[in-house]
Amino acid sequence: MKNIILQSAAIFLLVAMMVSCGSNEEKDSIKQQIKEYKNEVSQLNIKIKELEQQLEELGDGEEQFFTPVKITSLQHRPFNHYFQVSGTVDADKKAFISPEINGQVKEILVAEGEYVKKGQLLA
């Protein structure tokens, strides 16, 4: 982060000086400043790398958690997975049965729980 800030500051100064200056002497001084800033940046990068290496050697104090893994060979075998659920069921459509004429039911032609089709005779 500091490296980026230094580089951007150096570039800003250079651009500002180039805009305001026009003579050879001023250009030479700008070039000299560029060299100095580049040298500072490279020295800072070296120091940063050294500090990062020291930090890695010391450890950053955080524990690393690993997940145990088991490896098996690939083979065909049954996969059984069961789960149990309880609940209630409501019908989407409800049927209301009424006779067209009054009379007695003498025979029921379907059993309880049996599937029926539209138009099928029930009783």
Side-chain angles (χ1 to χ4, degrees):
M1 186 70 176
K2 291 180 182 179
N3 185 13
I4 294 170
I5 293 172
L6 288 175
Q7 287 178 347
S8 61
I11 292 171
F12 176 77
L13 287 174
L14 292 176
V15 170
M17 295 179 94
M18 290 176 84
V19 170
S20 64
C21 304
S23 68
N24 286 338
E25 244 179 61
E26 292 174 1
K27 288 181 183 179
D28 291 338
S29 69
I30 292 172
K31 289 180 182 179
Q32 181 63 30
Q33 284 182 343
I34 291 173
K35 288 180 185 179
E36 290 175 9
Y37 289 141
K38 286 184 178 180
N39 188 24
E40 288 178 19
V41 167
S42 65
Q43 289 175 359
L44 287 173
N45 284 334
I46 292 170
K47 289 179 182 179
I48 289 171
K49 286 181 183 179
E50 289 174 357
L51 290 173
E52 286 175 346
Q53 287 177 351
Q54 288 177 4
L55 184 62
E56 286 179 14
E57 290 173 1
L58 294 175
D60 48 357
E62 296 178 9
E63 291 184 29
Q64 295 181 356
F65 296 99
F66 297 102
T67 304
V69 177
K70 181 180 177 184
I71 299 174
T72 60
S73 60
L74 187 63
Q75 51 186 281
H76 288 283
R77 59 181 175 190
F79 177 75
N80 297 324
H81 182 74
Y82 301 100
F83 61 94
Q84 192 172 23
V85 179
S86 63
T88 59
V89 177
D90 289 330
D92 288 340
K93 298 178 182 177
K94 296 184 180 183
F96 178 73
I97 301 173
S98 65
E100 292 181 8
I101 56 172
N102 290 333
Q104 276 187 328
V105 175
K106 293 186 177 187
E107 183 181 5
I108 298 178
L109 302 173
V110 293
E112 184 178 341
E114 186 178 341
Y115 287 101
V116 294
K117 295 181 181 177
K118 183 178 180 180
Q120 181 179 348
L121 189 59
L122 304 178

